[in-house]
Amino acid sequence: MNGDGTRAVRAGLPEPETYRPTLPGPVFTAHYHLHGDDDPATGPYTYGRDANPTWTLLERALGELESPDAEAETVVFASGMAAISAVLFSQLRQGDAVVLPDDGYNLLARLRERLTGYGIEVRTAPTAGDAQLRVLDGAKLLWLETPSNPGLDVCDIRHLSDAAHAQGALVAVDNTLATPLGQRPLALGADFSVASGTKALTGHGDVLLGYVTTRDPELAASVRLWRKTVGAIPGPMEAWLAHRSLATLHLRVDRQATNALAVAEALRDRPEVSGLRHPGLPEDPSHRQAVAQMRGRYGCVVSFALPDRDHARRFLGALRLVDDATSFGGVRSTAERRGRWGGDAVPEGFIRFSAGAEDPDDLVADVLGALDEAARG
Ligand SMILES: *Cc1c(COP(=O)(O)O)cnc(C)c1O
């Protein structure tokens, strides 16, 4: 019954062994010694595309964080997209139907085209509310992303999972924004918790990674086989860096959530700001559901809109402590004008702000100063 921090600092570590490191270094190898072909090569490690001891420790760690109370298996991937694709393409066949969010991560639109091309029926529903229920009939898989990126809507994982299971559908939740310390989709009834480890999970903006966690050994095996088949494997160095970063996950997500809330509160009273969203704000449309199913940490992202594209550009240019960069979840604050990429249904002045681990007063002062400068034109 350890707390999150206690669990995070030790997650996945091997039993202490005298003269051995606490977290063994990355294992760089393409193949492993075997014992001749009379020996059924049933050991865990034969070829580097199938398994690696550095992944094994990270997978154990992520399993402990995503599912501390029940046995679960994790499969790590080269990126979040590799993990998402692994679930979709390992589970769906021609003729199946899948329900995707229409306001989730922007590459879901590209996946949607590909799935359709393979003869899979794609239905969509917004994240907020429960419109997913109206398109569930006969679906094989329900995909949720909550809180959604970049709109920060939240849906009821338990309620939607129960409804999906009653119809025989599997449920996957993209847990990237919350991290396993912010939300445990498997405990809320989902079959898969899927995430990009590129964001807040690793938190330093220096690693791309993804993972899938499930409590069902057969589902885990099919996702693992998909990884082996397409070869979407993380490098040992990335896996090791990710594991090293997990030891500070609780410190980072707590500080970043505190900072995000401070920034959101500061933005609240600004006349040029519209559409302010952060699940931790009491008046946010997501707040009630977020409190009910998240674990007191509502993530590092704040979304809002400035009057137009130029105003947003002036704001980004005037920030001193916040890098103009895409992605989110890093210890250094970042912000971007999301519309620059196309693909998200957002206004031209829409800003996705990712709070880092700076001192909250410094960060808020920087944001307010940049707003003042941007307002002067
Ligand atoms: C970034 C992101 C992804 C994709 O992850 P990569 O590691 O960049 O492939 C998927 N889902 C969400 C919600 C994301 O924010």
Side-chain angles (χ1 to χ4, degrees):
M1 286 297 109
N2 283 329
D4 286 345
T6 310
R7 188 175 296 111
V9 297
R10 294 202 174 273
L13 297 182
E15 283 299 311
E17 252 188 274
T18 310
Y19 309 130
R20 296 282 178 192
T22 310
L23 175 62
V27 176
F28 295 98
T29 188
H31 51 79
Y32 304 84
H33 282 300
L34 300 176
H35 287 299
D37 61 13
D38 287 340
D39 181 34
T42 52
Y45 305 112
T46 56
Y47 187 56
R49 184 168 18 76
D50 303 352
N52 176 295
T54 311
W55 306 347
T56 304
L57 296 179
L58 175 61
E59 288 174 341
R60 202 180 293 162
L62 292 169
E64 287 171 21
L65 296 175
E66 283 280 353
S67 180
D69 305 321
E71 199 62 38
E73 281 185 60
T74 296
V75 187
V76 289
F77 285 89
S79 67
M81 286 313 296
I84 290 172
S85 301
V87 172
L88 292 170
F89 292 104
S90 67
Q91 301 309 312
L92 297 169
R93 304 277 179 279
Q94 187 174 12
D96 286 343
V98 58
V99 178
L100 298 180
D102 61 17
D103 51 1
Y105 186 61
N106 61 13
L107 270 176
L108 287 181
R110 296 284 90 78
L111 281 176
R112 181 179 169 179
E113 290 163 14
R114 185 143 311 261
L115 290 163
T116 306
Y118 290 162
I120 294 156
E121 182 196 344
V122 179
R123 307 171 186 168
T124 60
T127 296
D130 59 7
Q132 295 91 341
L133 298 177
R134 288 202 291 275
V135 286
L136 256 185
D137 188 32
K140 176 84 190 296
L141 178 68
L142 169 62
W143 192 276
L144 304 173
E145 182 181 307
T146 178
S148 61
N149 168 22
L152 302 177
D153 277 324
V154 167
C155 59
D156 185 338
I157 297 174
R158 165 69 65 194
H159 178 59
L160 294 171
S161 296
D162 287 349
H165 290 156
Q167 309 224 11
L170 293 168
V171 179
V173 175
D174 185 326
N175 204 29
T176 302
L177 207 137
T179 83
L181 295 192
Q183 178 168 272
R184 292 183 189 150
L186 302 181
L188 296 167
D191 301 284
F192 298 100
S193 183
V194 185
S196 167
T198 311
K199 315 289 172 58
L201 186 85
T202 59
H204 292 71
D206 52 10
V207 166
L208 281 114
L209 193 92
Y211 70 89
V212 177
T213 304
T214 175
R215 290 176 177 171
D216 182 326
E218 278 178 36
L219 295 179
S222 68
V223 168
R224 206 177 288 281
L225 178 60
W226 176 265
R227 179 178 67 182
K228 169 174 164 155
T229 311
V230 302
I233 57 169
M237 192 68 198
E238 280 74 8
W240 183 82
L241 278 170
H243 199 160
R244 182 184 192 273
S245 302
L246 289 183
T248 55
L249 182 62
H250 55 301
L251 301 175
R252 290 183 283 109
V253 295
D254 282 352
R255 170 61 80 95
Q256 290 176 246
T258 301
N259 282 355
L261 187 59
V263 167
E265 284 170 347
L267 291 171
R268 199 192 239 161
D269 304 323
R270 297 291 301 211
E272 70 272 51
V273 167
S274 61
L276 174 64
R277 295 296 306 268
H278 177 67
L281 275 180
E283 70 271 26
D284 191 274
S286 295
H287 186 67
R288 226 164 56 104
Q289 186 58 42
V291 169
Q293 75 187 4
M294 296 181 73
R295 307 185 59 254
R297 302 174 172 111
Y298 306 110
C300 60
V301 179
V302 180
S303 296
F304 59 98
L306 291 171
D308 55 44
R309 179 201 298 229
D310 283 341
H311 201 123
R313 283 183 176 162
R314 290 197 301 276
F315 169 69
L316 293 173
L319 290 162
R320 303 280 177 276
L321 300 179
V322 182
D323 295 332
D324 183 348
T326 192
S327 195
F328 63 85
V331 289
R332 288 169 284 272
S333 291
T334 58
E336 67 173 339
R337 197 180 67 78
R338 194 63 187 162
R340 69 180 294 174
W341 306 112
D344 293 306
V346 294
E348 284 289 333
F350 183 96
I351 302 282
R352 187 179 68 183
F353 188 98
S354 171
E358 299 86 356
D359 291 296
D361 292 349
D362 294 339
L363 190 57
V364 167
D366 195 47
V367 168
L368 293 179
L371 282 176
D372 288 342
E373 206 173 315
R376 284 195 290 271

